[in-house]
Amino acid sequence: YFEAFHTHAEETQVVLDAALDPEMAASISGRLVTADGKPVEGAEFWLTGREYGGSRLPDWPITDANGYFRYDGLRPSPHPYRLDTKVHGYLWKDLEIKINKPGHLELGEIVLERGRTISGCVTNPQGEPVANASIHAGPGPYASVGDTRDAKTQTDADGRYILCGVDWEEDGTAYVMVFAKGYGMASQKVKFGDAEKLDEVDFRLERGAEIRGTVTDDKGKPIEGLRVMVYHLIFQDTNYLGRFGEYQAGETDAEGKFCIKGFPQGEGEVRHFWILDSDGKSVEPRASHEPIKIGTTDAQIVIKSPPEAQIAGMAVDADTCQPIPKFRIRLSRYLKDENLPDNHPNNV
């Protein structure tokens, strides 16, 4: 249920009466099982829907001892809902659900597919184990590094790792990437064939290279507090595309300077960065730079200033016509969704 409302400065309490109609509500239920029919207990489901701004709904359903779950209070919608779950050792499962009318929708059995397993050892140039290295694996190539669908783990004190629940491409190919502090990232393409498990997928890491540079606006003023993250990396004949998150990122200081470490040694360059401001919002569409080679110490990234235009006005009390001294004005753009009412949050 949602309702748009307005308040005035002198109001200290707003009472909203909600007329809920149970006959307009919808619900879903189902049962989560493995391929051999065993129930999966304690699995969380994430439900997202355009009716709720595309965000995840609260109070995630969790499967009981027999694998059953239920979610009530959904709003029928012309737009599909998406149901996701991830259980350790199994592949990510997502379903698109259409709830066109009130009532109950039984999803039946939802079968999880067991992922494959990769294990190996990570060492430094001297052959010594590297502990706490981050390992990611999945289909690719390399596009989902850091994605929630990756199989992830870390090396133990002996540099060993075991990755369970690995997804793969149709031809049996998977991609493994390793990140460790002070070393350059490393990767391998592996082929499962008919095997369910691959052992001795080992990595020997080299000391990492870095890129240093400065971020300014188009008037040359340095910009502090930006998060500069690698997005598109070309290294020798390998094309890495994806947000590398905390693994390859730097933050600008008061002089606009940043440093990103953890690149492989050798000929390579960054074609594209993903840049976020202090609020986590992307400023990347306004950033421009030439391809930056690994090892560069004077990279220049320019953030184009927005057009110099203004909107001015005055906020006044509708009854007294007196100015309101403190009033926040926010400008935004949106495409109106004709399938939703005018007072829906997506259209306000």
Side-chain angles (χ1 to χ4, degrees), residues 34-316:
T34 61
D36 55 2
K38 295 181 180 178
V40 180
E41 181 181 3
E44 289 184 334
F45 278 94
W46 301 283
L47 191 65
T48 55
R50 188 169 171 180
E51 286 291 307
Y52 302 87
S55 59
R56 287 180 174 178
L57 277 66
D59 302 324
W60 302 335
I62 300 177
T63 56
D64 63 17
N66 294 312
Y68 288 102
F69 68 93
R70 181 185 175 97
Y71 199 102
D72 293 294
L74 295 172
R75 186 181 302 123
S77 169
H79 308 291
Y81 287 85
R82 182 165 293 278
L83 190 70
D84 298 82
T85 188
K86 179 69 172 75
V87 177
H88 180 70
Y90 293 88
L91 302 185
W92 184 283
K93 188 75 173 182
D94 57 37
L95 299 172
E96 192 174 89
I97 305 169
K98 291 186 177 180
I99 304 177
N100 298 319
K101 58 183 180 180
H104 183 71
L105 177 63
E106 173 57 47
L107 302 177
E109 287 193 346
I110 300 172
V111 180
L112 290 182
E113 184 178 0
R114 183 174 289 278
R116 300 184 183 183
T117 302
I118 297 174
S119 65
C121 186
V122 180
T123 57
N124 64 17
Q126 291 74 43
E128 301 166 336
V130 177
N132 300 318
S134 296
I135 319 288
H136 291 250
Y142 314 107
S144 60
V145 172
D147 190 274
T148 53
R149 302 187 182 216
D150 277 357
K152 308 180 186 70
T153 192
Q154 288 188 311
T155 55
D156 61 18
D158 297 321
R160 301 206 61 83
Y161 72 90
I162 300 177
L163 268 172
C164 301
V166 179
D167 201 351
W168 64 92
E169 294 186 328
E170 290 184 5
D171 63 353
T173 301
Y175 300 84
V176 191
M177 298 194 74
V178 180
F179 301 89
K181 188 174 182 179
Y183 298 95
M185 74 174 194
S187 63
Q188 283 193 50
K189 180 171 72 173
V190 298
K191 278 252 185 183
F192 284 102
D194 296 329
E196 294 296 319
K197 182 179 180 181
L198 290 179
D199 297 316
E200 299 182 0
V201 180
D202 300 332
F203 292 85
R204 177 164 290 196
L205 303 182
E206 301 294 334
R207 286 291 171 184
E210 62 185 38
I211 289 177
R212 294 178 179 269
T214 305
V215 181
T216 66
D217 63 18
D218 49 15
K219 297 179 178 61
K221 180 182 177 180
I223 305 177
E224 183 180 6
L226 294 180
R227 191 72 170 157
V228 184
M229 303 190 298
V230 174
Y231 184 80
H232 188 181
L233 172 64
I234 301 291
F235 179 70
Q236 295 176 347
D237 295 327
T238 305
N239 183 350
Y240 299 92
L241 181 62
R243 302 186 202 183
F244 293 87
E246 299 300 313
Y247 299 119
Q248 288 185 315
E251 190 164 311
T252 58
D253 60 16
E255 297 178 340
K257 297 183 181 299
F258 69 91
C259 177
I260 302 178
K261 302 180 180 181
F263 292 100
Q265 296 284 349
E267 296 293 327
E269 63 184 22
V270 175
R271 296 281 179 87
H272 194 73
F273 287 103
W274 194 270
I275 303 176
L276 306 179
D277 63 17
S278 57
D279 294 325
K281 296 179 180 179
S282 172
V283 298
E284 170 272 333
R286 292 186 290 144
S288 72
H289 62 83
E290 296 296 323
I292 299 174
K293 293 187 178 298
I294 293 174
T296 298
T297 58
D298 58 353
Q300 298 293 319
I301 300 177
V302 178
I303 304 295
K304 299 176 183 177
S305 300
E308 294 184 358
Q310 291 184 341
I311 296 176
M314 181 181 290
V316 299

